[in-house]
Amino acid sequence: SIFQTLLLSQNTNFYHPTEVDGKRLVFYPNVSVPLRNEYGFIIPKFGLHYTNYSLSAAPEEARHKGENIDRTIPIFSVDSGIAFDRQLVFGDKKFIQTLEPRLFYVYAPYRNQSYLPNFDSAVNDFSFAQMLTENRFSGSDRINDSNRAVAALTSRFIEQDTGIERLRLAVGQLVNFTDPRVVVP
């Protein structure tokens, strides 16, 4: 089968003596179709991120929703890349230099999450690897709204005799097509 399915799930009980506490259940089933060959890949992926809270008391912003709160967010992404290589000689050492362009796109619609408790979400530090992920937040309490693309380029210099990577250069550009609205309080 060319389809790959994955179910990420988590059941967590949070307790705090003065803040809202309760249980959080997360299901993130997703399906992808990885198309790969020796020089490149394209991986379309679709998933539904479902979160349910069973709280000891509803947060002030969610009193009208009760103590059982849930959220469902569809997430679509496409990751693609290609690799080129050539042989180089520096002094008496032979190297393989790669050139690896990559395109990544992710879409997740906006869902108001301000009424949800924040037990463990924070904004991830910005990094090259973080640009190429679906969610800019850690934890499961905040899922970003996203309509963004990333163009990246990596070049590696690998010793041909040993396979040791001696140098890696990477650059990338992230473009938001809409301004993100979900924040961490």
Side-chain angles (χ1 to χ4, degrees):
S1 169
I2 63 170
F3 290 98
Q4 286 187 349
T5 57
L6 180 65
L7 171 62
L8 301 172
S9 63
Q10 178 185 65
N11 188 16
T12 311
N13 189 10
F14 293 95
Y15 172 76
H16 193 279
T18 60
E19 300 289 329
V20 171
D21 58 18
K23 295 179 181 174
R24 180 185 67 204
L25 178 65
V26 176
F27 285 107
Y28 181 37
N30 58 74
V31 62
S32 62
V33 184
L35 305 169
R36 302 176 192 272
N37 60 27
E38 60 276 358
Y39 56 84
F41 66 93
I42 183 167
I43 306 171
K45 178 179 165 187
F46 176 76
L48 282 173
H49 196 287
Y50 172 78
T51 311
N52 177 270
Y53 294 89
S54 179
L55 304 173
S56 60
E60 198 63 38
E61 306 83 24
R63 292 263 185 242
H64 65 285
K65 295 186 180 290
E67 294 170 4
N68 280 321
I69 305 168
D70 62 359
R71 165 196 67 197
T72 303
I73 300 174
I75 302 172
F76 171 75
S77 66
V78 178
D79 193 3
S80 62
I82 192 165
F84 303 98
D85 63 63
R86 68 179 182 163
Q87 293 186 356
L88 294 173
V89 177
F90 289 120
D92 61 344
K93 296 250 185 211
K94 294 179 182 177
F95 289 89
I96 297 172
Q97 180 195 9
T98 68
L99 189 63
E100 305 165 37
R102 187 168 171 184
L103 293 173
F104 178 75
Y105 173 78
V106 62
Y107 177 79
Y110 171 75
R111 297 290 190 267
N112 180 12
Q113 299 168 55
S114 63
Y115 63 91
L116 298 175
N118 183 11
F119 294 123
D120 66 354
S121 282
V123 177
N124 286 319
D125 292 337
F126 186 77
S127 67
F128 184 78
Q130 176 57 30
M131 287 193 319
L132 299 163
T133 62
E134 293 176 348
N135 192 13
R136 64 188 175 99
F137 300 115
S138 63
S140 294
D141 295 315
R142 295 298 180 270
I143 304 299
N144 65 198
D145 53 318
S146 185
N147 185 9
R148 74 172 185 266
V150 175
L153 183 64
T154 302
S155 183
R156 304 169 203 262
F157 291 84
I158 302 164
E159 275 188 24
Q160 192 168 354
D161 294 336
T162 64
I164 297 172
E165 183 180 294
R166 293 296 180 182
L167 179 66
R168 179 186 308 186
L169 304 168
V171 296
Q173 177 68 47
L174 182 146
V175 177
N176 283 310
F177 299 114
T178 57
D179 290 333
R181 296 168 51 192
V182 176
V183 295
V184 173

